[in-house]
């Protein structure tokens, strides 16, 4: 098997702002694994708040030699080998994991969901994410998202109530709220949640700083809404540690280290009675489509990452009026649309 990779910069349609920063691009690395004329595609997406960057991903990928593996059916062996090359590097590991899953399912002529033993559902809805924006662009984005049933709103500013009040003059759709650790005081967080609970809000994601697990236990016990961990939970080994502090976890391929690990995280969370949100970074339709094959297992789905970029490299899972249209084709079911 041959491994190839190249850097790629995702251009965002609109500047994206969360409580900690703004950006117009997301660096990524695209991976290809070739075997007997078939190509499996993978991707590492690297938003700036993660420690990985294009150079670290490429340095990691350079250490991988797939020469000794001659069959993608050795996927578990190969992924164990890749995981053991170095600690961390989860997005880099995810890129190889995604490419291998694409390849093995193409070789097997089955869609990824079937390989994972997951039922295909045509009734999965993704939220559309509204970054922190001024009044005019908030209005514009809500119009852009007119087909979506759920909106995800980034908070963690000094104007949080103003933002929600404005949104409520424009739409009464159910909202997922993502604070990105932006509320530092638990009493303030509880007041906000009590206020939001009256306003058709479904859940609150990472209201407090990820280290504040004690405050998070207090908040979860008093909260009228489910409180979902994102920054506080990256990989499967983190789950037990935060299980008492949250009602659910946000699983992302780039945090988890790929499809195999994300799938394991979902099953582990469920075994601990935690709810599951399936999320993403800004990603091409490669990683988004990969994640979408897990979506039937999630309670909440937030896979709009490819909708936020203007230079998608792949055709894959589409979001039509908020509904995920997951390809019923071998592999991830993606097709490359542009040569680099
Ligand atoms: Mg989040």
């Amino acid at each position: 098997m041959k491994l190839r990779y190249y850097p790629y910069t995702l251009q965002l349609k609109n500047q994206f702002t969360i409580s900690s920063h703004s950006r117009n691009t997301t660096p990524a690395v695209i991976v290809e694994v070739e075997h007997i004329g078939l190509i499996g595609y993978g991707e590492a997406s690297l938003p700036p708040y993660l420690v990985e960057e294009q150079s670290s991903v490429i340095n990691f990928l350079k250490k991988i030699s797939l020469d000794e593996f001659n069959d993608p059916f050795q996927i578990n062996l190969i992924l164990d080998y890749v995981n053991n090359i170095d600690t961390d590097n989860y997005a880099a590991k995810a890129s190889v994991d995604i490419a291998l899953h694409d390849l093995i399912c193409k070789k097997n002529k089955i869609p990824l969901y079937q390989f994972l033993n997951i039922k295909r559902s045509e009734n999965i809805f993704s939220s559309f994410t509204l970054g922190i924006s001024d009044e005019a662009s908030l209005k514009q984005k809500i119009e852009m998202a007119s087909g979506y049933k759920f909106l995800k709103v980034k908070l963690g500013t000094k104007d949080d109530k103003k933002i929600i009040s404005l949104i409520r003059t424009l739409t009464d759709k159910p909202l997922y709220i993502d604070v990105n650790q932006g509320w530092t005081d638990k009493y303030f967080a509880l007041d906000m949640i009590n206020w939001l609970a009256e306003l058709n809000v479904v859940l609150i994601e990472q209201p407090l700083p990820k280290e504040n697990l004690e405050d998070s236990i207090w908040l979860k016990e008093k909260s009228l809404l489910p409180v979902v961990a994102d920054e506080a939970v990256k990989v499967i080994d983190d789950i037990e540690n935060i299980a008492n502090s949250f009602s659910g976890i946000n699983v992302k391929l780039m945090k988890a280290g790929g499809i195999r690990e994300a799938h394991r995280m979902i099953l582990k969370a469920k075994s601990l009675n935690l709810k599951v949100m399936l999320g993403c970074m800004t990603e091409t339709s490669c990683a988004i489509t990969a994640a979408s094959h897990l979506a039937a297992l999630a309670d909440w789905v937030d896979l709009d990452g490819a909708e936020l970029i203007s230079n998608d490299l792949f055709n894959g899972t589409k979001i039509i009026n908020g509904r995920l249209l997951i390809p019923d084709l071998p592999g991830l079911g993606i097709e490359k649309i542009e040569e680099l």
Side-chain angles (χ1 to χ4, degrees), residues 152 154 178 180 205-206 230-231 250 252:
K152 179 163 162 175
K154 295 285 192 178
D178 188 359
N180 289 113
E205 198 179 317
Q206 199 69 53
D230 185 5
E231 286 85 344
N250 188 339
K252 299 177 182 171

Side-chain angles (χ1 to χ4, degrees), residues 24 195 206 256:
N24 291 302
W195 182 73
Q206 199 69 53

Side-chain angles (χ1 to χ4, degrees), residues 27-194:
V29 175
I30 306 295
V31 164
E32 299 180 4
V33 179
E34 191 172 348
H35 172 67
I36 55 159
L38 295 170
I39 298 177
Y41 293 102
E43 171 183 11
S45 167
L46 310 154
Y49 55 86
L50 300 180
V51 283
E52 292 178 77
E53 39 192 47
Q54 281 171 329
S55 59
S56 71
V57 171
I58 287 171
N59 284 336
F60 181 85
L61 296 173
K62 274 184 190 159
K63 296 179 198 161
I64 299 174
S65 164
L66 296 183
D67 294 346
E68 60 183 289
F69 301 103
N70 49 28
D71 195 323
F73 285 96
Q74 296 168 298
I75 185 163
N76 280 314
L77 254 179
I78 305 172
L79 292 178
D80 290 343
Y81 153 73
V82 170
N83 280 342
N84 288 331
I85 286 177
D86 205 345
T87 54
D88 302 329
N89 292 284
Y90 294 106
K93 289 171 182 174
S95 69
V96 180
D97 165 285
I98 295 167
L100 284 170
H101 278 89
D102 191 26
L103 186 62
I104 192 174
C105 295
K106 275 177 177 159
K107 194 172 179 197
N108 224 358
K109 297 192 173 67
I110 54 168
L112 175 59
Y113 69 85
Q114 202 176 319
F115 177 76
L116 299 172
N117 228 340
I118 295 171
K119 273 215 302 229
R120 183 168 189 268
S121 165
E122 296 190 345
N123 239 343
I124 303 169
F125 292 87
S126 171
S127 53
F128 182 84
T129 303
L130 307 171
I132 294 168
S133 9
D134 59 34
E135 196 171 326
S137 45
L138 204 52
K139 280 187 184 162
Q140 196 193 357
K141 285 175 191 168
I142 287 174
E143 266 163 42
M144 270 169 61
S146 61
Y148 284 77
K149 284 174 76 153
F150 303 94
L151 299 176
K152 179 163 162 175
V153 181
K154 295 285 192 178
L155 291 184
T157 74
K158 58 179 178 18
D159 295 323
D160 285 352
K161 283 198 173 176
K162 239 169 97 181
I163 293 170
I164 295 299
S165 301
L166 172 65
I167 290 171
R168 278 292 171 248
T169 66
L170 302 167
T171 172
D172 56 6
K173 285 178 188 173
L175 305 178
Y176 306 159
I177 301 290
D178 188 359
V179 189
N180 289 113
Q181 319 181 73
W183 299 337
T184 46
D185 179 78
K186 65 179 180 182
Y187 299 101
F188 175 80
L190 184 62
D191 279 351
M192 282 300 293
I193 292 173
N194 286 338

Side-chain angles (χ1 to χ4, degrees), residues 193-254:
I193 292 173
N194 286 338
W195 182 73
L196 290 164
E198 303 285 312
L199 295 169
N200 198 18
V201 167
V202 178
L203 61 89
I204 309 285
E205 198 179 317
Q206 199 69 53
L208 297 172
K210 62 181 181 195
E211 306 78 13
N212 291 6
L213 292 182
E214 287 296 317
D215 287 352
S216 294
I217 295 175
W218 181 91
L219 188 62
K220 179 196 121 178
E221 281 170 0
K222 297 190 165 42
S223 174
L224 298 168
L225 297 173
V227 185
V228 178
D230 185 5
E231 286 85 344
V233 60
K234 286 184 178 156
V235 295
I236 192 159
D237 290 341
D238 298 332
I239 297 179
E240 234 153 296
N241 195 29
I242 58 92
N244 292 327
S245 307
F246 293 92
S247 358
I249 64 169
N250 188 339
V251 175
K252 299 177 182 171
L253 297 189
M254 295 301 142

